[in-house]
């Protein structure tokens, strides 16, 4: 941009591109600003990206530039341009004038996190589609796409937070934290997006205390490492199948970054098509979603006789794997928060669990909920502390 103002473009994630403005946006620069917005918005739309306008380096904005911004964005109220880092003077101008096509965020990190939440919510609805005769390799591509968005947003946040050269450096930090603390890469990335910014240069969560892990209440629990997420979930899955005399089972955990959607984390006896369909559950009529919303167990005695389920992709997926009866138990903490659901399948229709089994499953689900809460406060935060220390150069 000519005069005292400059503009640079930086693709920070697979979902967003940042237009960085600096200097003074006076009447002369308003015309160039308009041309840049027109070009960058068109290119972003063609690539399916969100445009983020970083104004942290802008010292002054004229009324003409504000009018230009409105002229090029007012039609985007449903998909606004995200504006970040405005100084108090610039912020006052942008808030006193109605600008339906922009949305203000105090930081670039906050804007990128919002991009992630919006995209994830949309994906949660999109992935619940009939699998049909989709080849197996397509399931893998879908699974990769479901996680790459969150990882990309985390990379963008790390680039902005630590002034990293590019996405590769951010990915290296995520991978190092994942491997050092044996936390799945997707879980680390989600935590980066969801957690508040680090409180000090040396510590992300100063003053936090490490509580001992809660009792798992699983068979041979002493042989299960509570810091090993996969090990705990597999042990809980097989214990639930045995206890309930079920033919198949699955465990979903909530993800705050994805509007508390349920993410499939462990499964037994379910084929690839079913797992693809139930990989990310945003809401009913999936039985796991019903149990999460109700906060109590939900039983479907016969999927085929349930009109809402039988005519929906999740019901058809269950019938395709031979499941006629379903029972879902929410994982509820002492505070009343549901952070996951255990779902059980039976080939034969009918409610099959007796009261003793239901009570034991409730106890198991509660124990798993308390473990998951501890794991997030302890192991995941340990991984974030490690990442922060590495990025700050103190590793």
């Amino acid at each position: 941009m000519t005069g005292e103002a400059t503009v640079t473009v930086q693709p920070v994630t697979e979902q967003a591109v940042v237009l960085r403005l600096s200097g003074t946006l006076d009447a002369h620069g308003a015309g160039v600003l308009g041309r840049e917005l027109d070009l960058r918005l068109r290119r972003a739309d063609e690539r399916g990206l969100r445009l983020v306008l970083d104004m942290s380096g802008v010292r002054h904005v004229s009324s003409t530039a504000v009018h230009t911004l409105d002229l090029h964005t007012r039609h985007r109220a449903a998909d606004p341009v995200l504006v970040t880092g405005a100084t108090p003077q610039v912020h006052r101008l942008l808030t006193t004038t109605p600008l339906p096509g922009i949305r203000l965020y105090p930081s670039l990190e906050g804007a990128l996190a919002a991009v992630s939440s919006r995209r994830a919510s949309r994906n949660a609805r999109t992935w619940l589609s009939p699998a049909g005769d989709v080849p197996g390799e397509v399931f893998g591509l879908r699974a990769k796409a479901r996680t790459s968005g969150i990882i990309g947003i985390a990379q963008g946040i790390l680039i902005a937070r630590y002034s990293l050269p590019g996405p590769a450096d951010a990915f290296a930090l995520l991978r190092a934290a994942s491997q050092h603390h044996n936390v799945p890469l997707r879980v680390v990335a989600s935590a980066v997006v969801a957690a508040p910014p680090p409180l000090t240069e040396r510590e992300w969560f100063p003053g936090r205390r490490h509580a001992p892990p809660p009792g798992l209440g699983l068979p041979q629990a002493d042989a299960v490492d509570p810091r090993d997420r996969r090990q705990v979930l597999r042990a809980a899955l097989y214990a639930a199948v045995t206890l309930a005399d079920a033919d198949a089972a699955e465990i979903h955990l909530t993800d705050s970054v994805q509007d508390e959607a349920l993410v499939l984390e462990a499964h037994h006896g379910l084929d690839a098509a079913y797992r693809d369909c139930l990989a990310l559950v945003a809401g009913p009529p999936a039985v796991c979603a019903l149990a999460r919303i109700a906060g109590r167990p939900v039983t479907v005695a016969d999927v085929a006789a349930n009109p809402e389920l039988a005519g929906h992709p999740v019901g058809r997926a269950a019938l395709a794997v031979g499941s006629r009866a379903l029972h879902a138990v929410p994982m509820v903490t002492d505070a009343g928060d549901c952070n996951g659901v255990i779902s059980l399948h039976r080939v034969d229709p009918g409610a099959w669990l007796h009261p003793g089994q239901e009570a034991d499953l409730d106890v198991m689900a509660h124990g798993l909920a308390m473990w998951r809460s501890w794991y997030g406060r302890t192991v995941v935060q340990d991984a974030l502390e490690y990442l922060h220390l590495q990025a700050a150069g103190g590793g």
Side-chain angles (χ1 to χ4, degrees):
M1 196 175 291
T2 59
E4 296 184 20
T6 60
V7 58
T8 57
V9 180
Q10 181 180 14
V12 295
T13 77
E14 295 178 351
Q15 298 178 8
V17 61
V18 176
L19 191 65
R20 298 182 185 273
L21 305 176
S22 59
T24 300
L25 296 179
D26 54 15
H28 176 74
V32 183
L33 171 63
R35 289 193 294 273
E36 287 286 348
L37 283 173
D38 183 62
L39 173 64
R40 303 305 173 185
L41 282 169
R42 186 172 66 252
R43 288 183 177 177
D45 289 342
E46 289 172 353
R47 298 171 59 195
L49 302 176
R50 295 294 298 278
L51 182 67
V52 180
L53 203 59
D54 181 5
M55 302 186 74
S56 57
V58 176
R59 298 189 299 272
H60 173 75
V61 174
S62 67
S63 58
T64 303
V66 174
H67 175 72
T68 300
L69 180 61
D70 179 39
L71 188 65
H72 286 80
T73 62
R74 65 177 58 169
H75 63 289
R76 307 182 67 89
D79 197 27
V81 172
L82 311 186
V83 176
T84 76
T87 64
Q89 181 270 338
V90 174
H91 190 274
R92 282 194 298 271
L93 276 176
L94 297 180
T95 53
T96 55
T97 304
L99 299 171
I102 72 167
R103 184 165 299 163
L104 291 168
Y105 289 87
S107 67
L108 179 58
E109 296 171 355
L112 293 175
V115 171
S116 170
S117 177
R118 182 181 177 91
R119 179 66 62 89
S121 178
R122 185 183 304 131
N123 284 348
R125 295 189 294 271
T126 302
W127 294 121
L128 281 176
S129 57
D133 295 324
V134 179
E137 59 268 23
V138 175
F139 296 147
L141 293 175
R142 287 181 177 176
K144 183 178 180 180
R146 280 188 284 266
T147 59
S148 63
I150 295 175
I151 292 173
I153 291 298
Q155 287 174 274
I157 289 174
L158 296 179
I159 290 171
R161 180 174 294 161
Y162 300 114
S163 301
L164 301 177
D169 304 87
F171 186 81
L173 277 177
L174 291 169
R175 183 175 57 191
S178 168
Q179 293 176 346
H180 193 268
H181 286 279
N182 193 27
V183 178
L185 183 65
R186 173 184 58 80
V187 175
V188 176
S190 183
V192 167
V193 176
L199 293 178
T200 73
E201 291 185 2
R202 299 288 298 179
E203 292 183 280
W204 196 316
F205 308 97
R208 72 186 179 104
R209 296 180 178 179
H210 280 70
L216 291 173
L218 300 173
Q220 298 180 329
D222 55 345
V224 178
D225 180 2
R227 299 184 67 90
D228 190 321
R229 177 187 175 98
R230 179 176 296 181
Q231 193 177 128
V232 171
L233 292 176
R234 297 302 295 177
L237 184 75
Y238 289 125
V241 169
T242 302
L243 175 62
D245 191 23
D247 297 306
E250 63 203 278
I251 296 177
H252 285 83
L253 299 181
T254 58
D255 189 346
S256 59
V257 172
Q258 305 190 74
D259 293 334
E260 299 300 331
L262 291 164
V263 179
L264 181 62
E265 299 282 358
H267 56 85
H268 169 74
L270 300 168
D271 66 15
Y274 180 90
R275 301 196 304 268
D276 177 72
C277 187
L278 275 292
L280 188 64
V281 179
V287 179
C288 56
L290 293 173
R292 180 183 68 82
I293 293 170
R296 56 176 175 77
V298 173
T299 299
V300 175
D302 190 350
V303 176
N306 185 306
E308 191 174 12
L309 260 182
H312 192 274
V314 297
R316 294 198 295 270
L319 292 172
V321 294
S323 297
R324 291 289 297 274
L326 302 172
H327 182 79
V329 188
M331 296 162 41
V332 182
T333 67
D334 287 341
D337 301 320
C338 177
N339 58 26
V341 180
I342 303 171
S343 301
L344 302 158
H345 299 236
R346 284 269 287 194
V347 171
D348 298 323
W352 78 95
L353 293 168
H354 58 69
Q357 288 175 306
E358 292 185 358
D360 288 343
L361 283 171
D362 287 346
V363 171
M364 178 186 297
H366 172 70
L368 199 57
M370 297 305 295
W371 164 82
R372 202 262 169 121
S373 179
W374 169 86
Y375 182 87
R377 298 190 314 270
T378 305
V379 183
V380 175
Q381 289 190 3
D382 284 348
L384 293 183
E385 292 283 15
Y386 179 86
L387 183 153
H388 183 49
L389 192 61
Q390 294 295 313

